[in-house]
Amino acid sequence: MELTINHTLRTFDILPETLEALLTIEIPQKRKGIAVALNNRIIPQPFWAGTFLNDKDSILIITATQGG
């Protein structure tokens, strides 16, 4: 199974079922300051657990950082 995450093709033996499951794998310690798009559509945080992933989906994860 393949997902494109931040423009990088990733292969999974078992595809994470939901967007929330994927984020737990990709950024386990971070929950605030994150924006996520699935196939070019922004998915609000309350919908991550109910957003199911499919083979060949494209996910963009943007995290806020401090700095100036």
Side-chain angles (χ1 to χ4, degrees):
M1 304 282 195
E2 296 178 343
L3 295 174
T4 301
I5 303 171
N6 290 355
H7 308 291
T8 302
L9 186 64
R10 296 274 310 275
T11 302
F12 294 85
D13 291 331
I14 299 172
L15 192 66
E17 189 171 298
T18 65
L19 192 52
E20 185 170 68
L22 175 68
L23 292 173
T24 300
I25 294 167
E26 292 296 309
I27 46 175
Q29 303 300 328
K30 188 131 172 103
R31 282 290 169 233
K32 292 185 179 181
I34 299 173
V36 181
L38 173 63
N39 299 322
N40 297 318
R41 291 188 64 190
I42 301 265
I43 307 297
Q45 190 274 334
F47 297 100
W48 292 353
T51 301
F52 293 92
L53 299 176
N54 297 299
D55 190 33
K56 310 288 187 205
D57 277 346
S58 178
I59 295 104
L60 182 62
I61 303 168
I62 299 171
T63 58
T65 59
Q66 288 183 303

